[in-house]
């Protein structure tokens, strides 16, 4: 227990009480709505319980009777030693449970591994190299360099990775061809023979995980002949230690330059970390907010991932330079920035900041940018992220290159939603405009073009004539003939609306 507490550290654990010499062999999560019976030598993680309440007293009594190792609760203060018949770990209330649980699991499985790597990420690489017996390189999920150990040998790919701060594209393509990338995602240990991938010497690799999430991949060059048992033991211990260290960095938000605020990132995914994000911004939950999204324009997966990483760091630096309170986090293929916007002036300020960022960062990190409409509560952030993602897709489809303000394109976005519905139900697009288009293709007429201009000009025949470069009488003839061919009437409000909507959706 003492070793787990030491590994997790004061970033997460605010204090402890009771005995600290118990051995932990399992982590159980229980809460008042879904109680889980305590077991011997288990650490009982207890969201929803408060020290001193009858429910918590019952939980502690049951843990003692079962021989459990510890109870984990959130709180601002630590119980007195004589009040804790079982080891009690008090978690900082601002740390999200979604980080605490995998952190404790990883700390428990990593007990006995070398702690030397926890002081720094490069120290982590050296510690894993010591465990495995040969130099290692740690890469993030986007194939950017996290850290590397000392030691020999240095092959071409290792040298290029260290110099460029990311794995070279040619080597990644070779790894995909061998199936190594998919094997890592499945949680397997990868074995590569010398020059199986050009420029890459013999390698063993494994992914460091928190649950199903890949935090990093570890690439080990053995300095001699190793057995399968040595490979498995070294890499598994290294993966446990790497996961623990990276989770500690994430929980303390010390990896913000690489992936952004852990609490904000969790909020974007639907976790209930809104209070922690509000505290970090220094605002109320219902303050009023704006969410911006920046998505790289690169089409190649590795290039997009690299651009996302660069954008996180640059956006944070830009906001700091503007002295703007914000939260920044990376998603799989976009960067999100949260601003407080309690009024129109604050929203205008946020738009100005994102506009300037978009302009300045285009050369080094090409991307599209989108600013959402204002929304009231942080609890709406995950839903607003979905809207921002849809607007980014719309901007890509429409070929918009400047910053897109969600307030200015709401009609376009709603129309795009109509279009998605129509594509899912093709019968909605059948009718007058389809018949008119078929006639244009068969006879060489321009009825659809004329009708589109008519709707865009709100029925002003002279404006349509000027736009198309024809006489106004020609416009009148085409409009009348189009109604005959397509069998609809502009005098009918419903038929006129259907025709205009179909023209917009089919275009």
């Amino acid at each position: 227990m003492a070793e787990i507490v030491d590994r997790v550290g004061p970033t997460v654990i605010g204090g402890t009480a009771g005995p600290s010499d118990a051995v932990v062999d399992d982590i159980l999560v229980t809460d008042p709505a879904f109680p889980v019976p305590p077991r011997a030598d288990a650490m009982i993680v207890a969201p929803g319980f408060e020290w001193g309440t009858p429910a918590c007293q019952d939980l502690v009594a049951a843990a003692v009777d079962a021989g459990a190792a510890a109870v984990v609760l959130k709180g601002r203060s630590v119980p007195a030693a004589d009040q804790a018949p079982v080891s009690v770990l008090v978690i900082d209330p601002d740390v999200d449970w979604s980080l605490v649980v995998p952190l404790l699991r990883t700390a428990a499985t990593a007990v006995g591994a070398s702690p030397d790597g926890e002081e720094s990420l490069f120290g982590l690489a050296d510690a894993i190299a010591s465990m495995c017996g040969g130099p290692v390189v740690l890469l993030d999920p986007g194939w950017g360099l996290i850290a590397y150990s000392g030691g020999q040998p240095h092959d071409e790919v290792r040298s290029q990775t260290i110099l460029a701060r990311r794995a070279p594209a040619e080597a990644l393509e070779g790894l995909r061809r061998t199936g190594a990338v998919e094997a890592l995602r499945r949680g397997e240990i990868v074995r590569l023979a010398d020059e199986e991938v050009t420029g890459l010497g013999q390698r063993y690799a494994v992914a460091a995980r928190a649950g199903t999430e890949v935090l990093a991949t570890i690439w080990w060059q053995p300095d001699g002949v190793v057995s399968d048992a040595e490979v498995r033991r070294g890499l598994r211990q290294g993966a446990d230690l790497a996961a623990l260290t990276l989770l500690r960095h994430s929980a303390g938000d010390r990896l913000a330059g690489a992936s952004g605020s852990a609490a904000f990132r969790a909020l974007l995914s639907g976790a209930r970390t809104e209070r922690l994000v509000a505290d970090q911004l220094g605002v109320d939950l219902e303050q009023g907010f704006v969410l911006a999204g920046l998505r790289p324009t690169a089409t190649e997966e590795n290039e997009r991932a690299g651009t996302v990483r660069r954008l996180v760091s640059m956006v944070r630096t830009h906001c700091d330079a503007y002295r703007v309170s914000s939260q920044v986090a990376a998603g799989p293929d976009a960067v999100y920035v949260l601003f407080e916007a309690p009024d129109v002036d604050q929203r205008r300020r946020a738009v100005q900041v994102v506009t300037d960022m978009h302009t300045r960062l285009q050369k080094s990190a090409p991307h599209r940018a989108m600013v959402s409409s204002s929304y009231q509560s942080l609890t709406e952030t995950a839903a607003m992220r979905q809207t921002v993602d849809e607007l980014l897709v719309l901007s890509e489809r429409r070929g918009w290159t400047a910053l897109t303000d969600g307030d200015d394109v709401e009609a376009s976005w709603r129309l795009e939603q109509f279009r998605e519905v129509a594509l899912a139900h093709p019968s909605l697009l059948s009718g007058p405009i389809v018949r008119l288009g078929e006639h244009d293709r068969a006879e060489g007429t321009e009825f659809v073009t004329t009708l589109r201009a008519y709707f865009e000009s709100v029925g002003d025949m002279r404006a349509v004539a000027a736009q198309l470069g024809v006489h106004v009488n020609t416009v009148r003839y085409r409009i009348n003939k189009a109604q005959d061919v397509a069998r609809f009437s502009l005098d009918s409000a419903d038929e006129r609306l259907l025709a205009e909507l179909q023209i917009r959706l089919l275009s």
Side-chain angles (χ1 to χ4, degrees), residues 172-259:
L172 288 174
E173 184 58 35
L175 292 172
R176 288 194 176 88
R177 285 197 302 269
T178 65
V181 172
E182 281 302 314
L184 287 169
R185 289 173 180 163
R186 292 193 299 267
E188 300 173 11
I189 291 177
V190 168
R191 296 169 171 82
L192 294 170
D194 189 26
E195 289 296 321
E196 186 174 348
V197 172
T198 303
L200 192 72
Q202 183 184 15
R203 285 292 196 285
Y204 294 97
V206 72
R209 296 171 173 270
T212 58
E213 180 186 1
V214 174
L215 303 174
T217 53
I218 301 170
W219 297 83
W220 166 36
Q221 292 174 264
D223 58 8
V225 178
V226 291
S227 66
D228 285 348
E230 289 174 310
V231 169
R232 184 169 297 277
R233 181 175 61 253
L235 283 178
R236 292 301 184 198
Q237 285 184 341
D240 286 341
L241 181 58
L244 174 62
T245 305
L246 294 172
L247 278 169
R248 285 188 61 182
H249 277 265
S250 181
D253 206 23
R254 293 191 293 271
L255 280 180
S259 56

Side-chain angles (χ1 to χ4, degrees), residues 117 120-130 132 134-150 158 161-162 165-167 203-208 214-221 235 238-246 249 255 309:
S120 71
L121 295 177
F122 282 87
L124 168 66
D126 284 331
I128 296 173
S130 177
C132 294
V136 300
V137 169
L138 273 67
L139 302 177
D140 67 23
W143 304 103
L145 180 68
I146 295 176
Y148 58 93
S149 72
R158 177 181 167 91
T161 301
I162 292 171
R165 310 294 295 179
R166 64 178 293 103
R203 285 292 196 285
Y204 294 97
V206 72
V214 174
L215 303 174
T217 53
I218 301 170
W219 297 83
W220 166 36
Q221 292 174 264
L235 283 178
D240 286 341
L241 181 58
L244 174 62
T245 305
L246 294 172
H249 277 265
L255 280 180
R309 285 178 55 80

Side-chain angles (χ1 to χ4, degrees), residues 288-291 339-354 370-375 403-408:
F289 303 92
V290 165
L291 184 67
F339 300 94
E340 58 174 310
D343 52 42
V344 173
D345 288 341
Q346 284 282 76
R347 184 184 185 279
R348 187 178 299 117
R349 171 67 167 161
V351 172
Q352 289 174 345
V353 171
V354 179
M370 172 68 61
V371 178
S372 77
S373 300
S374 298
Y375 61 101
L403 173 97
T404 303
D405 187 332
D407 280 357
D408 295 339

